[in-house]
């Protein structure tokens, strides 16, 4: 069965510092996609970044980068130069076949 | 069309009543998903349509839940005989098979409270 694990319920980071949010996944499908979403207190889910299982390079989108280690089945999100507006819940998700699964999330708090 | 819309945004109902939610996806998107999210948890997949066909339904979805997408555009999610455990945020998302990454765009959700 497909599963996403996020072992950090909460994280703190100082403004302007970088932070890494952990995500490990489990699937037997050779083809899958990994996503990160941000959910601020207002509730909307905002897409951040995508990594395909066959992509050779790590994905980057502005201040977001995904550290993809396929053999270890990990897809950690790195946020550089944290901003106060980055404070939110962050969810790692996987699309595999017809299945779509989200992790439990990590609450990131950026300190001034 | 600026995004996925959901109505109503909030619904309060008494236990045992039926409720229906509507989702309007981004117009060119052919895939539509329903999720349920409880406080402090990640979204839980409920069901998924490609055009008007319902291709996947979670085993966690009881028979009291039904979803339709009759013309491959908007979708409705109905919960019959609501229970207090149904209280949650119900999220709808849409995507297009024309993109490699099948990125899902989410609506604002419908918050259901069952008294």
């Amino acid at each position: 069965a497909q599963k996403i694990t996020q072992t950090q319920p909460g994280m703190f980071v100082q403004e302007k510092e970088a932070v890494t949010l952990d995500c490990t996944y489990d699937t037997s499908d050779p083809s899958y996609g990994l996503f990160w979403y941000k959910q601020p207190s207002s509730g909307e889910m905002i897409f951040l970044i995508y990594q395909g299982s066959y992509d050779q390079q790590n994905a980057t989108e502005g201040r977001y980068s995904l550290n993809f280690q396929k053999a270890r089945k990990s897809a950690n999100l790195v946020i550089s130069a944290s901003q106060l507006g980055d404070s939110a819940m962050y969810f790692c998700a996987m699309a595999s076949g017809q299945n779509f699964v989200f992790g439990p999330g990590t609450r990131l708090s950026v300190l001034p | 069309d600026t995004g996925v819309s959901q109505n109503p945004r909030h619904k309060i109902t008494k236990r045992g009543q039926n409720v229906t939610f509507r989702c309007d996806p981004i117009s060119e998107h052919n895939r539509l998903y329903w999720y349920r999210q409880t406080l402090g948890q990640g979204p839980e997949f409920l069901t998924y349509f490609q055009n008007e066909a319902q291709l996947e339904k979670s085993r966690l979805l009881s028979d009291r839940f039904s979803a339709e997408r009759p013309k491959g555009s908007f979708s409705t999610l109905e919960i019959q005989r609501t229970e207090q455990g149904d209280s949650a945020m119900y999220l709808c998302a849409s995507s297009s098979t024309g993109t490699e990454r099948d990125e899902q765009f989410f609506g604002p959700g419908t918050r259901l409270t069952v008294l």
Side-chain angles (χ1 to χ4, degrees), chain A residues 37 45 47, chain B residues 4 26 29 92-95 101 103-107:
Chain A
Y37 283 85
M45 295 285 285
F47 167 78
Chain B
V4 179
I26 294 172
H29 284 182
C92 175
S94 69
S95 71
R101 62 191 190 183
E103 166 194 342
Q104 296 181 29
F105 292 82
F106 282 80

Side-chain angles (χ1 to χ4, degrees), chain A residues 36-64:
Chain A
W36 278 91
Y37 283 85
K38 172 184 177 181
Q39 188 175 43
S41 56
S42 53
E44 76 270 30
M45 295 285 285
I46 302 168
F47 167 78
L48 296 179
I49 196 166
Y50 165 85
Q51 180 85 42
S53 59
Y54 294 118
D55 292 344
Q56 295 296 314
Q57 292 188 323
N58 287 342
T60 60
E61 294 274 358
R63 293 187 299 112
Y64 305 107

Side-chain angles (χ1 to χ4, degrees), chain B residues 1 14 17 26-27 29 32-33 39 42 57-58 67 74 76 91 101 105-106:
Chain B
D1 190 337
K14 292 184 177 180
Q17 298 294 305
I26 294 172
S27 58
H29 284 182
L32 187 147
Y33 315 80
L39 199 62
K57 187 174 176 181
S58 169
F74 74 91
T76 57
L91 296 168
R101 62 191 190 183
F105 292 82
F106 282 80

Side-chain angles (χ1 to χ4, degrees), chain A residues 18-33:
Chain A
V19 63
T20 297
L21 306 183
D22 294 342
C23 171
T24 57
Y25 60 92
D26 190 21
T27 181
S28 57
D29 289 330
S31 179
Y32 50 90

Side-chain angles (χ1 to χ4, degrees), chain B residues 3-45:
Chain B
V4 179
S5 62
Q6 293 186 246
N7 288 289
R9 295 292 307 276
H10 303 273
K11 179 70 177 178
I12 300 174
T13 190
K14 292 184 177 180
R15 188 177 55 185
Q17 298 294 305
N18 299 345
V19 294
T20 300
F21 309 141
R22 176 177 170 127
C23 171
D24 288 87
I26 294 172
S27 58
E28 61 268 27
H29 284 182
N30 59 343
R31 288 184 171 177
L32 187 147
Y33 315 80
W34 284 100
Y35 294 88
R36 176 172 62 192
Q37 186 178 25
T38 53
L39 199 62
Q41 302 296 316
E44 174 189 32
F45 171 75

